[in-house]
Amino acid sequence: MSSSPALADLPQIARRTLADTAYDALSDLLASGRLAPGDRLSLRQTAAALGVSVMPVREAVSRLTAEGALDVAPNRALRVPVLTPEAFRALAETRMAVEGLAAARAAERRSPGELAEIRRAEAAFRALAGSARPDGARAVVLNRDLHFAVYAACGLEPLREIIARLWLKAGPVLNLDLRAHPGRLRQGSAMRRHAEAVAAIEARDGPAAAAAIAADIGDAAEFILSRGGLRQAQRP
Amino acid sequence: MSSSPALADLPQIARRTLADTAYDALSDLLASGRLAPGDRLSLRQTAAALGVSVMPVREAVSRLTAEGALDVAPNRALRVPVLTPEAFRALAETRMAVEGLAAARAAERRSPGELAEIRRAEAAFRALAGSARPDGARAVVLNRDLHFAVYAACGLEPLREIIARLWLKAGPVLNLDLRAHPGRLRQGSAMRRHAEAVAAIEARDGPAAAAAIAADIGDAAEFILSRGGLRQAQRP
DNA sequence: CTGCCCGAACTGTGATCACACATCACTAGC
DNA sequence: GCTAGTGATGTGTGATCACAGTTCGGGCAG
């Protein structure tokens, strides 16, 4: 097949289905905490909001329920999962273990470029968290950027995907709280943990990086649990 | 609403949709290696085979693709993912880390009942693997039973789910190989690793349990990689 | 005024149809 | 003889309809 070399320059046409787009839209809502635990959603309503039929939304929702990011009650009602304190604690412990693992590997094998990216993300978060009146929604994004800059450096793509799914489950709880109480950022706990993590990654100290990330997760989880930020999943 | 207390004893009616059933059927095919990497499947054909319309199959497939257990090519072709050697190695490393983590926790906090269940599963596998002509398909099931008896004892349900998804991705490669070459069982490598793991769990030695499970995974992965058991994902 | 019941509106689930696209066998043209 | 175009067939994707089940509010009976 001989043809003009100009064809080689053509960018591949992105082949995105409506279901993919719907999935991204719902994921974003969940990860950013704009969908709170217990919120119900309807296929037809979200389909109307997205301007498509219910089919793409159905597929997106079925993916999210498979990942545990959404919950279909026995009544067939569709809602954002409400975690019991026990389930939330188990999720937090899992995250501490798995994300600690990724952080340790990142510390040991990060490239100079990856380290630079991590430091940049840490600086961005610190600038926001240290400001007079931090924007909760933006803090959510920057915190996520920093964490995933670290996990991207661990060199194991499957591990990164696992963590992304864990964040989808924890996102509504964590970020709803962070949006509601951005003042917690001023306590500096997150900033301190982040600084410890970056220092450990810079020093190629795996265990220290794991400990810092785990402490960051544990601090936030403990704060939310102590505040009773979790509603019970029971109906009266 | 006052009613007879006998009603409290009634078991909940399992509300299984056709999509759930289709998901289980496909998962089983994947986990047991009866669907080999590169195999294509068609919504309409599998729907006909299951005696339902395409809708439930569509939903099951969309869940599986979200988990990475199935792959929808840019051509929209649906197939079991073909792992490159690099991707397979990354998956194996992730499994060694994550499943090692779970095994370590299981060793430290297993209950007597869980230990008994693990020992029973180990004995069942050993009996089969040590037999004259081991049945590959049955070995797949018993190996899975043993591993998940350990992971169930780790006390973190989210971690167990993560591992189940990893097995869905690795299953076609591993189990296709095991079915094709059941003679490898007679080398005793798996049996030795299993025995080490059970001993470590019995002794509540977390690091040793992690090492044994990781070695079990690593041995199998190394064997498959050395045999060139992975086809390239490229088309001629 | 309170408790119950019934019906309208809505839910997810499944089936069916329509469509754009991919694949492959085949044939016309060089 | 080999390539390029063409048609039939099958593919996933999306829309629409049908249905069983739920939810919720209004109205009737007590």
Side-chain angles (χ1 to χ4, degrees):
Chain A
M1 189 192 299
S2 69
S3 54
S4 164
L7 292 183
D9 301 344
L10 285 179
Q12 287 271 347
I13 294 180
R15 199 187 282 261
R16 290 186 60 75
T17 66
L18 294 182
D20 291 334
T21 309
Y23 177 85
D24 289 346
L26 288 178
S27 292
D28 190 48
L29 253 50
L30 284 167
S32 66
R34 275 173 293 176
L35 275 177
D39 279 1
R40 273 194 280 273
L41 43 118
S42 144
L43 293 184
R44 288 172 176 83
Q45 284 178 18
T46 62
L50 291 172
V52 296
S53 91
V54 297
M55 279 301 314
V57 178
R58 265 174 87 168
E59 194 168 320
V61 163
S62 80
R63 292 188 208 171
L64 288 167
T65 58
E67 296 171 358
L70 282 180
D71 199 32
V72 32
N75 335 332
R76 285 179 173 166
L78 206 55
R79 58 172 197 179
V80 181
V82 178
L83 298 178
T84 64
E86 297 75 31
F88 180 73
R89 193 181 298 274
L91 183 58
E93 275 191 54
T94 301
R95 287 184 57 214
M96 290 169 66
V98 173
E99 297 181 34
L101 202 60
R105 282 187 61 104
E108 290 157 5
R109 39 183 77 206
R110 89 289 189 292
S111 69
E114 287 163 342
L115 176 61
E117 176 65 19
I118 291 169
R119 302 178 74 156
R120 199 198 52 73
E122 193 270 340
F125 181 88
R126 178 157 34 85
L128 180 73
S131 69
R133 214 177 62 81
D135 175 4
R138 183 146 176 73
V140 166
V141 173
L142 292 182
N143 183 54
R144 182 185 170 90
D145 286 350
L146 169 56
H147 276 262
F148 278 86
V150 173
Y151 307 144
C154 82
L156 290 180
E157 176 61 16
L159 190 55
R160 205 196 58 77
E161 289 173 9
I162 286 171
I163 296 174
R165 266 199 287 268
L166 287 172
W167 277 61
L168 226 46
K169 295 174 77 166
V173 175
L174 292 179
N175 296 333
L176 176 67
D177 189 87
L178 188 51
R179 287 166 66 96
H181 304 85
R184 178 165 71 85
L185 289 172
R186 302 224 30 118
Q187 295 181 0
S189 162
M191 274 193 292
R192 198 175 322 121
R193 301 307 188 187
H194 289 175
E196 292 169 8
V198 172
I201 291 169
E202 192 172 346
R204 296 198 184 277
D205 183 343
I213 291 293
D216 183 36
I217 297 169
D219 285 352
E222 210 53 50
F223 178 80
I224 289 176
L225 281 170
S226 70
R227 270 192 56 255
L230 294 172
R231 288 176 274 175
Q232 287 290 349
Q234 305 168 356
R235 57 188 63 182
Chain B
M1 191 190 299
S2 69
S3 55
S4 164
L7 292 181
D9 301 345
L10 284 179
Q12 287 272 345
I13 295 181
R15 202 186 276 264
R16 291 185 59 74
T17 65
L18 293 183
D20 290 334
T21 310
Y23 177 85
D24 289 346
L26 288 178
S27 291
D28 190 50
L29 253 51
L30 285 168
S32 67
R34 277 173 292 176
L35 275 178
D39 279 1
R40 271 193 280 274
L41 40 118
S42 142
L43 292 184
R44 288 171 177 83
Q45 284 178 18
T46 62
L50 291 171
V52 295
S53 90
V54 298
M55 278 301 313
V57 178
R58 264 174 85 167
E59 195 169 319
V61 164
S62 80
R63 294 188 208 171
L64 288 166
T65 57
E67 296 170 0
L70 281 180
D71 200 32
V72 32
N75 334 331
R76 286 178 173 169
L78 205 56
R79 60 171 197 179
V80 182
V82 178
L83 298 179
T84 64
E86 296 75 30
F88 180 73
R89 192 180 298 274
L91 182 59
E93 275 192 55
T94 301
R95 287 186 55 215
M96 290 170 66
V98 174
E99 298 183 35
L101 202 59
R105 281 187 62 103
E108 290 157 6
R109 38 183 80 203
R110 88 288 190 291
S111 69
E114 288 164 342
L115 176 61
E117 175 65 20
I118 291 169
R119 300 177 75 157
R120 198 198 53 71
E122 193 271 339
F125 181 88
R126 178 157 31 84
L128 179 73
S131 69
R133 214 176 61 80
D135 175 3
R138 183 147 176 72
V140 167
V141 173
L142 292 182
N143 183 55
R144 183 186 170 90
D145 286 349
L146 170 56
H147 275 264
F148 278 87
V150 173
Y151 307 144
C154 82
L156 290 180
E157 175 61 17
L159 190 54
R160 206 196 57 78
E161 289 173 10
I162 287 171
I163 296 174
R165 266 198 286 269
L166 287 172
W167 277 60
L168 225 48
K169 296 175 75 166
V173 175
L174 292 179
N175 296 333
L176 176 67
D177 188 88
L178 188 50
R179 287 165 66 94
H181 303 84
R184 178 166 69 86
L185 290 172
R186 301 224 29 117
Q187 296 182 1
S189 162
M191 276 193 291
R192 198 175 321 122
R193 301 306 189 187
H194 289 175
E196 292 170 7
V198 171
I201 291 169
E202 194 173 344
R204 297 198 181 277
D205 184 346
I213 290 292
D216 183 37
I217 297 169
D219 285 352
E222 210 52 50
F223 178 80
I224 289 177
L225 281 170
S226 70
R227 271 192 55 255
L230 294 172
R231 288 176 274 173
Q232 287 290 349
Q234 303 169 357
R235 57 189 60 183

